[in-house]
Amino acid sequence: VSKGGRPHADASRPGKVPTPTLESPRVCIIAGSTRSTMSTQVSNAQIATRSSSLRRSHRQSRRAMVCVSAATPGSANRTSVAAEIVGAILKFPPLWEAASKGAKEKMVKRAGELGIEWEAEVNRLRSAVDWEQALKDATDPAVVENMPAYYKTSFHAYPEGNLGWDPALEVEVAAKAVHAPVFSEDGKSLEKDGDEKLRAGYHRAQAEAMDFIDPDMRKKAKKVVDVGCSSGLSTRALVGAFPDAEQFVGIDLSNYFIAVANHALDARPGDPNGYDRSKVRFQHGAGENLPFENDSQDLVSSCLTFHELPASAAQDVIREAYRVLRPGGCMSMMDMDPTAPAFQRIANNVFAFTAFKSTEPYLEQYAALDVQEVMRRAGFETVETRSSSPRHRTIVARKPAAAKLK
């Protein structure tokens, strides 16, 4: 999608579609009437382009301008229509590649502005170990065989999604770049420790909510599960937040991420953050099918994972957390807050939303999901929500002390 581009002047009403040009090919979509928020059907969508122009744009320009017209008034419906339209746009490989390429370039550029040498840091990690052997050690063949279809798609500007070395080796530098502006008022000022502050904000809000529910809840958290642990960043923060816990298990569907997380364990023996194999381990697995007995864990945490799940998988993860938690145990999650003004600004800007959507395929499903209500339906009680950053929320829920599996 064109960087810094503007909608066509006549985008507010249907009209003649301009002929795509090589320098700035345009894909103009005219949306007709709509019926409901977030699940709206776009009844009159037309995509005007020429296949030859798309092929040329794929080879040379890779830039596109999106023109949107919605007949239904109201920001909610506009966001809904934008979500439908953006999803249609990104089904065109040249346009997805253009949007994702721009998103990746922005991350790398921002890292440079923070003084982070992206390429040098990644190359140091790339040469640190025999990664193919590390991958074999990290892989559970049964998990690979039963890999859910939703996970075998592109994420975060990587065509291979989370199932490859580039995303796994770059995830920590990418997190620093992506989260650098989280706490800035204008969304543009950068902080090198933005990622650390975000994770600290999660555990501050988590502690507040857990103490509100039960002042002794944190002390009782001896067995902790980190669902969607990635390379272990969230697990490291959990260890710092729960120093009295006896066991931490990080779970992730990507065996590549698990390999990188295991390497961190080897590289940091005795680390004050708890990177010690006697206390922390990582396991290849799915949040929907956790490798634990019923009623066996004290805390199930998930940090920045739910926006990467389709709604059905998110509900399965919540139900599975309920199953493995002991009565009185706690589920906690931190992710983007769809009601936050910063999120709404992106959702209501078709260009910003297109760039975001190109890296997050299930973004609108997450935004539409009532996570708190799903938790209640699963059987959780005393569901508490706290702000953990200007753009993120923390949700904590307790499994009833006299709970029975549903």
Side-chain angles (χ1 to χ4, degrees):
V1 177
S2 66
K3 300 173 186 175
R6 291 180 157 194
H8 179 57
D10 291 328
S12 61
R13 58 183 176 81
K16 185 177 180 182
V17 176
T19 302
T21 64
L22 186 61
E23 293 75 24
S24 182
R26 295 176 181 177
V27 178
C28 295
I29 299 176
I30 310 304
S33 60
T34 62
R35 290 197 295 271
S36 63
T37 302
M38 298 310 297
S39 60
T40 297
Q41 297 296 317
V42 180
S43 62
N44 208 19
Q46 300 174 2
I47 299 178
T49 189
R50 295 178 180 177
S51 60
S52 59
S53 295
L54 279 175
R55 287 193 293 271
R56 288 198 301 272
S57 71
H58 175 50
R59 292 193 303 267
Q60 302 178 39
S61 174
R62 295 189 180 219
R63 300 182 67 221
M65 179 174 288
V66 181
C67 309
V68 178
S69 170
T72 305
S75 60
N77 279 329
R78 284 197 300 273
T79 302
S80 171
V81 173
E84 296 281 346
I85 291 172
V86 168
I89 291 171
L90 295 177
K91 291 183 184 298
F92 285 84
L95 300 182
W96 178 86
E97 290 175 16
S100 60
K101 181 174 182 286
K104 175 69 176 292
E105 289 173 348
K106 185 175 181 179
M107 283 194 294
V108 176
K109 180 182 177 182
R110 183 182 289 171
E113 293 171 359
L114 293 166
I116 299 170
E117 297 181 355
W118 181 296
E119 203 168 320
E121 289 198 24
V122 172
N123 285 339
R124 277 195 293 271
L125 186 57
R126 198 181 296 275
S127 61
V129 70
D130 179 352
W131 286 112
E132 292 309 314
Q133 183 59 50
L135 184 65
K136 290 179 182 177
D137 295 340
T139 301
D140 183 336
V143 175
V144 174
E145 184 179 350
N146 295 289
M147 186 71 64
Y150 75 80
Y151 200 71
K152 294 184 284 188
T153 189
S154 58
F155 286 97
H156 305 150
Y158 298 100
E160 68 270 43
N162 292 328
L163 297 172
W165 286 123
D166 282 348
L169 297 173
E170 294 178 357
V171 65
E172 296 204 15
V173 290
K176 292 175 183 177
V178 169
H179 297 144
V182 163
F183 288 89
S184 66
E185 292 185 4
D186 60 2
K188 298 177 182 178
S189 304
L190 304 179
E191 295 179 296
K192 193 171 183 177
D193 63 347
D195 182 68
E196 292 179 21
K197 289 176 67 175
L198 175 60
R199 296 175 196 279
Y202 169 37
H203 295 298
R204 171 193 52 76
Q206 179 189 57
E208 290 177 2
M210 290 177 75
D211 290 349
F212 177 83
I213 296 171
D214 178 355
D216 295 324
M217 183 176 282
R218 284 192 289 157
K219 295 177 184 177
K220 297 175 183 176
K222 302 301 182 184
K223 294 183 178 181
V224 179
V225 182
D226 184 13
V227 174
C229 66
S230 183
S231 66
L233 273 172
S234 53
T235 316
R236 187 187 314 172
L238 270 171
V239 173
F242 295 88
D244 297 327
E246 299 168 356
Q247 174 184 289
F248 297 85
V249 182
I251 302 288
D252 204 279
L253 265 170
S254 172
N255 44 347
Y256 294 87
F257 282 126
I258 293 296
V260 174
N262 282 335
H263 168 66
L265 277 176
D266 291 332
R268 299 184 178 100
D271 186 282
N273 284 319
Y275 269 73
D276 183 333
R277 284 195 182 275
S278 66
K279 198 173 187 179
V280 182
R281 66 181 172 91
F282 295 101
Q283 186 167 339
H284 190 203
E288 308 95 310
N289 186 25
L290 294 172
F292 306 110
E293 298 294 328
N294 296 348
D295 306 328
S296 62
Q297 306 299 306
D298 300 307
L299 170 64
V300 174
S301 174
S302 184
C303 180
L304 299 171
T305 298
F306 269 72
H307 72 276
E308 297 185 3
L309 301 173
S312 59
Q315 293 173 69
D316 289 342
V317 169
I318 290 171
R319 285 191 288 265
E320 182 70 350
Y322 185 91
R323 180 187 71 80
V324 303
L325 283 168
R326 63 167 175 79
C330 170
M331 181 178 186
S332 174
M333 64 83 75
M334 186 272 281
D335 216 311
M336 290 178 283
D337 182 357
T339 68
F343 187 94
Q344 289 297 312
R345 283 195 297 272
I346 294 172
N348 290 319
N349 181 319
V350 70
F351 295 102
F353 187 78
T354 300
F356 204 178
K357 171 72 174 172
S358 72
T359 69
E360 305 291 359
Y362 305 113
L363 182 62
E364 74 274 15
Q365 291 193 47
Y366 168 72
L369 184 66
D370 187 337
V371 176
Q372 296 95 324
E373 181 57 27
V374 173
M375 287 179 166
R376 293 186 186 97
R377 290 202 304 266
F380 286 99
E381 64 177 5
T382 323
V383 180
E384 290 292 316
T385 304
R386 300 285 189 277
S387 172
S388 43
S389 91
R391 308 179 186 195
H392 298 81
R393 64 183 178 182
T394 293
I395 305 174
V396 175
R398 178 175 61 184
K399 183 174 179 176
K404 294 182 179 179
L405 287 177
K406 291 193 171 185

